[in-house]
Amino acid sequence: MASAPSTAPSTPAYCNWNPEDASFPEQFAWGASTAAYQIEGGWDADGKGPSVWDTFTHQAGERVFENQTGDVACSSYTLWEEDLKCIKQLGLTHYRFSLSWSRLLPDGTTGFVNQKGVDYYNKVIDSLLDNSVTPMVTLYHFDLPQSLEDQGGWKSHATVEAFDAYAHFCFQTFGDRVQLWLTINEPYIVAELGYEQGTMAPGVKELGTGAYLSAHNMIKAHAAAWHTYDRVFRKQQGGLVSIALNSDWAEPFQPHSLADQEAVNRHIGFCLDWFATPIFLNGDYPVVMKSRISAMSKKQGYPSSRLPEFTEEEKMTIKGTADFFALNYYTTRKIKHQDYLDSQPSRAGDTEAEQVMDLSWPVATGSSWLAVVPWGLRNLLKYIKDTYNHPIIYITENGFSQSDPAPLDDSQRWEYFRLTLQEILKAIYIDGVRVKGYFVWSLLDNFEWTCGYSSRFGLFHVDYENPALPRVPYKSATEYAKVIANNRPVNSHE
Ligand code: GAL
């Protein structure tokens, strides 16, 4: 009989092991996540400055579904108590939310502090703690202050310094009560969609260079903030700082094709490893990125690689700047090798990897990209354990959307959650991965970026037609509350 790996928490031997009967480890963090621009509304209330998402959604054009905006969203800025009721109804142990940088610092700098913004987040943090809910705070979730974008945004080194000063301000202001920090949410998405393809704010389209340059500065900004915490606040506040990285899992389209297997490595290399290798391993980009981009740049007539380089000093500063691994997982792709023949440079072209959806996988009704593959999460967790020195991992986002109108009886969606939780149990007990928490995206239906309100990810339904914006639990909320109360998945017959 096989015994559990030594790294796994003690559990019955797993030869007959059934994840349906297993409990999560003690002290497991049960959470839900949101982001400021997606829920708060109050886009110019009480002295808030504009962010790139305010500008992006206010500009005419078909960039967002039906030209919708986050001006009101779920109005969490005025309805925080309603969100708190949802959190309590679920019995969450943790709540992840983001601070709106330009609500706190309207022009992005510490030159002027908007006290009303500070008051709002103090209220949120204090009431979470009063209800024994641990806050996990993201400093920046896609909504860069517009005034910083006007000076180059993430393409400029000035934003690295502004972010570090903002982080210092947040640690100083809220760090006596917040112990779990995330610097940046999904730098990959900001780089690829915000500065390369231009389909998300700030809408910069600079194929082949925009993503690499903006990512370069975000990695430096993250590292600077981590060091600020480490140097100035850690001793007194005792918290942890990381960065939320998103990644798909990937499988070769033809399992036995070496070319497809190598394309899988590039696909993950150019997404997760792009950020995780420098931050968790060696301060530098993955070898596969450096060699590939250098070769492609040469072919395209560039005098040097389109991928910027870190100095030796920067590498030393970046290496080891995360106290845990924060993973956002949604989907899996089949990957095919594809020769890139186009002379137009692009990050996607550099990967020479084509993404294919497996038609046998169900797709979430609210997001055409979201193939539902719960086992992909287990594989990704194992990959992170093996590649990044067995870190503590929080799954800081995972979820499934429904299209609007969304039924309150979302049994199908709950089935996806249930299967996902089973895969996490297998990762913990069979693979020995140190998963310490799971956060559903999202607490509430909200503004789903370019899909506006047409894609509903919430555990609670929000009726946008009703000015009171009532929050009503989906079946998934009721089921999730049972899981949390029992610290394990509950069978339908229980
Ligand atoms: C993530 C993002 C969230 C949310 C989610 C669902 O990429 O961090 O803000 O929109 O996707 O698409």
Side-chain angles (χ1 to χ4, degrees), residues 187-189 191-192 211-216 219 268-279 284-286 289 307 310 347 388:
Y188 170 88
I189 294 291
E192 175 66 11
Y212 299 138
L213 180 55
S214 55
H216 200 67
I219 292 168
I268 295 182
F270 276 73
C271 178
L272 183 69
D273 300 343
W274 182 4
F275 302 92
T277 305
I279 291 169
D284 201 3
Y285 294 116
M289 280 187 86
L307 182 69
F310 293 119
R347 188 209 64 86
Y388 294 109

Side-chain angles (χ1 to χ4, degrees), residues 226-290:
W226 184 91
H227 280 287
T228 292
Y229 191 81
D230 202 49
R231 208 176 47 245
V232 187
F233 299 101
R234 189 188 296 280
K235 199 160 168 241
Q236 213 187 345
Q237 299 183 350
L240 303 171
V241 181
S242 188
I243 179 167
L245 301 181
N246 64 293
S247 186
D248 303 343
W249 178 242
E251 295 273 324
F253 183 74
Q254 305 267 14
H256 300 298
S257 151
L258 189 58
D260 287 0
Q261 285 165 17
E262 285 173 353
V264 163
N265 293 341
R266 291 196 299 276
H267 180 76
I268 295 182
F270 276 73
C271 178
L272 183 69
D273 300 343
W274 182 4
F275 302 92
T277 305
I279 291 169
F280 286 85
L281 292 186
N282 61 10
D284 201 3
Y285 294 116
V287 173
V288 72
M289 280 187 86
K290 292 199 293 185

Side-chain angles (χ1 to χ4, degrees), residues 35 38 141-142 185-186 189 328 330 369 397 441 448-449 457:
Q38 294 178 278
H141 194 128
F142 299 176
N185 180 71
E186 300 188 351
I189 294 291
N328 295 354
Y330 287 92
W369 54 269
E397 284 182 31
W441 183 270
E448 175 53 16
W449 308 116
F457 272 95

Side-chain angles (χ1 to χ4, degrees), residues 54 75 121 166 169 262 273 372 405 428 440:
D54 294 313
S75 204
Y121 293 117
Y166 164 60
F169 167 79
E262 285 173 353
D273 300 343
V372 179
I428 295 172
V440 168

